Amino acid sequence: MRAIFAFLPLFVRLKGPLTLTLVLSLVTLAAGTALLGLSGWFLTAAALSTAGAAFNLFAPSAGVRGLSFIRILSRYGEKLSGHDATLKLLSDLRQWLFARLFPLAPLGRRLGRGDLVSRLLGDVEALDTVFLVALGPISTAVLAGVAMTTLLAFLLPGAALVYALAFAGAAIGVPVLLVAASRRTGAEVVAASGRLRGVALDSIEGQQDLVIFGETQSARDQIEAAAGDLARARRRLGFHGTLAAGAVQGSMAIATIGTLVAGLAALEAGSIGGPLMAGLLLAVIASFEACAMLVRSAARLASAAAAAERLQELATMEPAVTDPGAPRPIPDGGAMSLEGVSFGYGPGRRVLSRVNLGIADGSCVAIRGPSGSGKSTIAQLLLRLVDPQAGRVRLNGVDIRTVALADLRRRVALMTQDAPVFHDTIRANLLIGRNDASDEALWQALDAVHLGDFVRSLPRALDTMLGEAGKTLSSGQARRMCLARTLLSNASVIVLDEPTSGLDAETESAFLADLPRITAGKTTIVITHAQVPANYDRVINVQAGRVSADRSAM
């Protein structure tokens, strides 16, 4: 539960809407309780009256109608305010989380993809409704119980203590026990949900290979196993909820019987009338409506607590790299070098071993090698996404560990092999590279990558919407769009990691042949497995984590 309290600053920002939701929820419950109590008093008084003509039917019936309208309007307002606050909380929560995730990039090797997706989706969703389905109803129930106990203390003192104890058991005791009993199961639900998402995501993305190699049944078995684990965990959670619901009903029965016994004694003593006793009895029953909601709330609270712990774990991870205490300035130019660099992702997983590599300012260099040879690791080291275990990476003679990360990444830009085209306009996609770029600069970048004429032919030109993941573009056009975005940056060094990934051989050759012209004036490092045209300044081979002797481009 302490993990949930760590998110209180986000709730405090929305204290106005959340307080309004709580007040409206309390008004709804109070109106419902008063409605049932007044109805009971009204019907009993009318039945007991021997002077029907003299009995005032209009005032009670008007009260019933008025309370009905109040309950309807307050319920509507509660839902409107609560959901609006929840959506705002969701936005704040995602901003909070992503602000903490960016310094942790890349996360691929630290968390499984399915686990990361589960935390970004399922855990956030479990937490964003914590007020609406847990904290809000609990607060409302406690306040309603205090109000009803106070009313009984004045009108039917003999029932006040029994009611208070029964209601406290239903509103506090049962939820606390349910959360304690469901804590482990709630964590299992969250974890099982994450596993199911991960298996489903891997199966969908790898569907073609699974079909080709005849492994669809294996994927189906994994999905069924993960779904079975989730179903069993949810059944256990539901069983706990059923027991808790029974306990709430038992508490309500105790409170009702206690009120009835005290009411009959007071009625016999003449200190209370029959209609008032009937009204109080029905009001007691109605007040337990809040406790009935707490069963669902407490069960959600257990899952929310587990989700909060997972999000806190993610947000408090130590970044792979941090800014130096006293950053140094970066001299002009784009010369980069690796000096005796060794790097590995764990014991026995050495990727680079004592690599020495120098890249001259303004040159266009290709780094070639098979998959797993360490090419992409070099790209991460040049951007300081990771730090070497030994050796140094220098930019213009300065160790990049001594410069501010923001300064480094303004000077060195990276286009990854899976660089995305976003579901937005062409203009918005390009402005990611430099948000103050003029239209003239955008057109220059598009012309440089041979996309200018294509974009001009579109009805809305730069304001044309691109489909999700660039589906309205060919593979070659999508890669060139990402390259144009990278070129727009003011970086003096451009690192392209497998820029022709997913392209056919002809498009790949044309793309690589264009790069030296397109990036003229910038230091360009192309990491690829493909054959490199002769117009590159150098081609460097990487094999098993070592850089072999340079050779001429071919």
Side-chain angles (χ1 to χ4, degrees):
M1 292 299 293
R2 284 179 296 182
I4 290 181
F5 293 127
F7 293 91
L8 281 180
L10 297 179
F11 288 89
V12 171
R13 292 184 197 172
L14 298 170
K15 59 181 179 294
L18 293 178
T19 300
L20 177 61
T21 302
L22 183 60
V23 170
L24 290 173
S25 176
L26 190 58
V27 169
T28 301
L29 181 60
T33 302
L35 176 61
L36 192 56
L38 179 59
S39 299
W41 175 89
F42 181 28
L43 293 174
T44 305
L48 294 177
S49 175
T50 57
F55 185 75
N56 185 355
L57 296 173
F58 298 104
S61 60
V64 169
R65 291 188 177 218
L67 288 171
S68 298
F69 280 118
I70 290 173
R71 189 173 187 273
I72 292 170
L73 293 174
S74 61
R75 175 71 76 184
Y76 177 78
E78 173 200 346
K79 297 300 182 185
L80 184 64
S81 175
H83 285 87
D84 180 63
T86 297
L87 290 175
K88 290 177 180 177
L89 179 63
L90 176 62
S91 176
D92 290 347
L93 184 58
R94 293 197 187 281
Q95 290 181 41
W96 172 89
L97 181 59
F98 279 101
R100 283 156 178 77
L101 286 184
F102 285 126
L104 300 177
L107 282 166
R109 294 184 180 273
R110 304 176 72 179
L111 290 171
R113 179 174 50 184
D115 186 21
L116 181 59
V117 170
S118 177
R119 296 187 193 220
L120 295 179
L121 295 177
D123 291 354
V124 170
E125 290 172 3
L127 195 59
D128 79 319
T129 57
V130 69
F131 176 83
L132 203 60
V133 300
L135 299 182
I138 289 172
S139 302
T140 301
V142 170
L143 292 174
V146 170
M148 191 66 202
T149 300
T150 303
L151 182 64
L152 287 173
F154 279 102
L155 299 178
L156 191 60
L161 180 59
V162 175
Y163 173 84
L165 293 175
F167 195 91
I172 300 175
V174 171
V176 168
L177 292 175
L178 179 58
V179 169
S182 304
R183 183 177 180 82
R184 181 176 177 180
T185 307
E188 290 175 359
V189 167
V190 172
S193 179
R195 286 195 297 273
L196 180 58
R197 280 192 179 93
V199 172
L201 180 63
D202 290 341
S203 298
I204 291 171
E205 292 191 349
Q207 180 189 18
Q208 183 173 335
D209 288 342
L210 292 172
V211 172
I212 291 173
F213 292 105
E215 290 296 321
T216 54
Q217 185 59 47
S218 174
R220 189 178 295 113
D221 291 342
Q222 291 183 40
I223 292 175
E224 288 179 356
D229 291 342
L230 178 59
R232 283 188 290 274
R234 283 184 170 166
R235 278 197 295 270
R236 287 196 297 273
L237 201 62
F239 177 70
H240 293 157
T242 301
L243 292 179
V248 168
Q249 293 301 314
S251 297
M252 183 179 71
I254 292 172
T256 303
I257 293 172
T259 303
L260 179 61
V261 169
L264 290 174
L267 183 64
E268 185 178 356
S271 59
I272 192 174
L276 181 57
M277 188 195 80
L280 288 175
L281 192 63
L282 291 177
V284 164
I285 294 173
S287 69
F288 273 84
E289 176 189 350
C291 296
M293 297 174 57
L294 294 184
V295 172
R296 296 189 300 273
S297 302
R300 292 291 297 271
L301 195 58
S303 296
E309 289 175 358
R310 283 161 52 89
L311 289 177
Q312 277 292 317
E313 178 188 356
L314 182 61
T316 55
M317 279 184 177
E318 288 295 327
V321 297
T322 56
D323 269 316
R328 296 177 57 186
I330 305 175
D332 292 337
M336 298 212 72
S337 62
L338 280 70
E339 301 175 356
V341 168
S342 295
F343 180 82
Y345 290 106
R349 298 177 62 195
R350 179 61 61 89
V351 179
L352 298 175
S353 181
R354 296 187 297 278
V355 170
N356 291 289
L357 175 62
I359 300 170
D361 181 22
S363 61
C364 184
V365 174
I367 299 177
R368 295 187 65 238
S371 297
S373 61
K375 305 186 307 297
S376 294
T377 300
I378 291 177
Q380 293 186 37
L381 288 166
L382 294 175
L383 268 291
R384 206 182 166 221
L385 297 175
V386 293
D387 280 335
Q389 274 98 42
R392 296 178 179 83
V393 180
R394 296 185 184 273
L395 174 58
N396 301 317
V398 177
D399 189 334
I400 63 173
R401 285 176 293 195
T402 66
V403 304
L405 288 169
D407 291 344
L408 173 65
R409 290 165 190 172
R410 275 192 292 266
R411 299 288 297 275
V412 184
L414 171 66
M415 174 181 159
T416 62
Q417 58 183 307
D418 53 358
V421 174
F422 295 95
H423 189 187
D424 208 331
T425 63
I426 293 174
R427 184 193 307 277
N429 269 275
L430 294 175
L431 289 176
I432 294 172
R434 190 172 85 237
N435 58 17
D436 61 349
S438 64
D439 281 7
E440 181 182 0
L442 300 184
W443 286 116
Q444 287 175 353
L446 290 170
D447 287 334
V449 299
H450 295 308
L451 278 181
D453 290 341
F454 166 74
V455 175
R456 289 185 183 93
S457 70
L458 298 174
R460 301 196 56 173
L462 290 172
D463 294 316
T464 301
M465 286 290 297
L466 298 178
E468 186 175 356
K471 296 298 184 184
T472 55
L473 303 174
S474 69
S475 296
Q477 289 172 330
R479 301 308 290 164
R480 289 178 182 273
M481 184 69 68
C482 294
L483 179 58
R485 181 169 67 205
T486 306
L487 290 175
L488 273 169
S489 72
N490 292 318
S492 53
V493 180
I494 294 179
V495 182
L496 308 174
D497 185 9
E498 297 288 1
T500 58
S501 175
L503 303 185
D504 59 70
E506 183 179 352
T507 306
E508 178 181 74
S509 296
F511 189 94
L512 291 174
D514 268 352
L515 281 177
R517 175 191 62 81
I518 293 171
T519 62
K522 297 177 181 284
T523 302
T524 307
I525 303 168
V526 183
I527 296 172
T528 183
H529 65 278
Q531 292 296 320
V532 179
N535 57 342
Y536 281 61
D537 295 314
R538 293 169 62 195
V539 177
I540 302 167
N541 276 331
V542 179
Q543 187 77 30
R546 295 180 180 272
V547 173
S548 64
D550 296 9
R551 64 177 178 79
S552 301
M554 59 175 292

